[in-house]
Amino acid sequence: MEYLDFELPIKELEEQLDKCMIIGEESEVDVSETCKQIEKKLVETRKEIYKNLTAWQRVQLSRHPNRPYTLDYIRAICGETFLELHGDRNVKDDKAMIGGLGKIGDQSYMFVGQQKGYNTKTRQLRNFGMANPEGYRKALRLMKSAEKFGIPVVCLIDTPGAYPGIEAEERGQGEAIARNILEMTRLKVPIIVVIIGEGASGGALGIGVGDKVLMLENTWYSVISPESCSSILWRSWEYKEIAAEALKLTATDMKKMKLIDEIVREPVGGAHANRDKTFEIVKNKISSHYEQLKKLSPKELVKNRMDKYANMGVFNG
């Protein structure tokens, strides 16, 4: 397990607990009472740390190296039923954007999401979760297929942004994202969006239009990352913590501004601390929201979705 700077008190207590248990196993000394005290302190410390997280600390948690990625969620939720689909039928198969069919219970869903890598090799393969235009076109192709067969769409967002390279711009990065936003607003099947990590800029918006948009507790959703904002405003990355606060990018901020529909609580310690519980929570949220959305006709779905986004940012003076 890797630890962030603010998690070091937890690391120290966990190491103390391990040492205490080893002493108990290797000697005749009864250390059960000491171990209980350390465990109690560990629980209290965890609660205290994660109860008072700053915006920047939540950004750090969203990027935690042990945090589950899109494929982890899909495999845990769908098991053996997941069938990955490839290619945009135009340029190539973008490995940073994945999608395919999977089941929760007896209900089929079309899953789409950005995938990051676990080590140097897979990070390069996945382009660090930054999709090219063909990734967004693949996502749209899959969503259109889902619409054709009446299958609901689930989008899992975790990206530092769309790939900003020259070749991506040459192939129409902006157009691909804009096209997705347009088509998603009028898709005739339910769309459930879950932000599971980073939700940065147009890269997130390209698969981010939904009837229900959910954010995990320790994620962020913003027009720009705190580091980029800091480098633009102060010509330095040193002010990223101030930028994170100013951007109002946490789940609480987004809910307050009515830009998302629900905050999904994570286990104490974040999604990486108890992966199985996190997967179960997300799975249940997807199912419960779909149960509500399936009662609506395609016409009602589109109208409600259009109204929802048209009302964002409206100011009554």
Side-chain angles (χ1 to χ4, degrees):
M1 176 71 86
E2 294 184 47
Y3 296 85
L4 300 168
D5 292 345
F6 63 88
E7 292 178 310
L8 291 178
I10 294 168
K11 183 186 179 185
E12 286 170 19
L13 285 167
E14 284 180 347
E15 285 171 355
Q16 283 178 27
L17 185 60
D18 288 342
K19 283 176 189 170
C20 187
M21 287 168 136
I22 290 164
I23 291 166
E25 285 166 13
E26 292 178 353
S27 67
E28 299 295 312
V29 183
D30 181 16
V31 293
S32 58
E33 194 55 44
T34 311
C35 285
K36 272 182 191 171
Q37 285 176 355
I38 297 170
E39 279 174 355
K40 190 183 174 188
K41 185 89 194 301
L42 186 58
V43 170
E44 287 169 2
T45 306
R46 267 211 188 98
K47 279 183 181 170
E48 196 57 37
I49 286 173
Y50 293 109
K51 191 174 69 181
N52 300 305
L53 292 176
T54 64
W56 174 243
Q57 285 169 340
R58 291 200 190 277
V59 170
Q60 288 178 290
L61 271 177
S62 75
R63 298 168 177 165
H64 199 289
N66 302 120
R67 195 175 176 86
Y69 296 141
T70 298
L71 270 176
D72 299 320
Y73 280 93
I74 292 172
R75 284 171 181 152
I77 289 168
C78 303
E80 295 295 312
T81 66
F82 180 61
L83 172 69
E84 190 174 350
L85 301 167
H86 299 273
D88 72 333
R89 302 291 184 268
N90 191 9
V91 178
K92 63 175 183 178
D93 183 39
D94 189 341
K95 298 285 190 280
M97 184 76 76
I98 58 155
L101 291 161
K103 282 188 171 186
I104 299 176
D106 294 328
Q107 177 60 48
S108 294
Y109 293 86
M110 181 65 81
F111 287 89
V112 175
Q114 292 102 350
Q115 175 66 24
K116 292 177 176 176
Y118 302 94
N119 52 35
T120 307
K121 194 174 179 181
T122 55
R123 280 173 194 140
Q124 286 177 323
L125 174 75
R126 302 288 181 186
N127 201 28
F128 301 87
M130 296 187 290
N132 276 282
E134 51 271 23
Y136 292 99
R137 290 177 182 131
K138 169 165 83 169
L140 183 57
R141 179 178 78 80
L142 299 184
M143 287 187 244
K144 284 288 188 185
S145 295
E147 181 183 47
K148 184 179 177 182
F149 296 106
I151 297 168
V153 174
V154 175
C155 296
L156 302 172
I157 293 177
D158 186 12
T159 180
Y163 184 57
I166 292 171
E167 62 273 30
E169 296 299 336
E170 284 173 347
R171 293 196 296 275
Q173 184 72 285
E175 188 277 336
I177 290 170
R179 170 74 53 193
N180 276 25
I181 294 170
L182 170 67
E183 296 293 347
M184 286 180 85
T185 55
R186 57 192 189 194
L187 211 68
K188 293 183 176 68
V189 290
I191 308 171
I192 299 164
V193 176
V194 189
I195 297 152
I196 58 168
E198 299 184 89
S201 194
L205 276 181
I207 57 166
V209 178
D211 301 295
K212 295 291 176 186
V213 180
L214 320 178
M215 263 181 96
L216 265 68
E217 196 177 356
N218 297 311
T219 62
W220 62 278
Y221 198 21
S222 175
V223 71
I224 194 169
S225 70
E227 294 95 328
S228 299
C229 177
S230 173
S231 65
I232 290 168
L233 294 181
W234 291 283
R235 300 278 186 267
S236 163
W237 278 26
E238 284 179 25
Y239 300 92
K240 53 188 181 288
E241 293 178 41
I242 299 167
E245 290 292 340
L247 283 166
K248 302 289 181 205
L249 42 66
T250 66
T252 312
D253 293 322
M254 298 300 286
K255 183 77 174 76
K256 203 180 285 180
M257 292 185 280
K258 296 181 180 162
L259 298 173
I260 62 162
D261 298 289
E262 188 180 342
I263 299 169
V264 179
R265 297 287 167 208
E266 294 180 23
V268 175
H272 61 282
N274 190 338
R275 285 174 160 230
D276 292 339
K277 192 175 177 185
T278 306
F279 297 146
E280 192 62 31
I281 291 166
V282 171
K283 178 182 173 179
N284 292 337
K285 289 289 178 189
I286 291 168
S287 295
S288 64
H289 281 292
Y290 174 64
E291 286 302 313
Q292 295 167 20
L293 293 170
K294 74 176 185 182
K295 295 169 188 170
L296 302 173
S297 68
K299 204 171 180 179
E300 288 172 316
L301 273 174
V302 174
K303 185 186 182 301
N304 291 353
R305 199 183 303 142
M306 291 272 199
D307 289 346
K308 174 186 168 182
Y309 282 90
N311 288 328
M312 283 181 185
V314 171
F315 176 72
N316 298 316

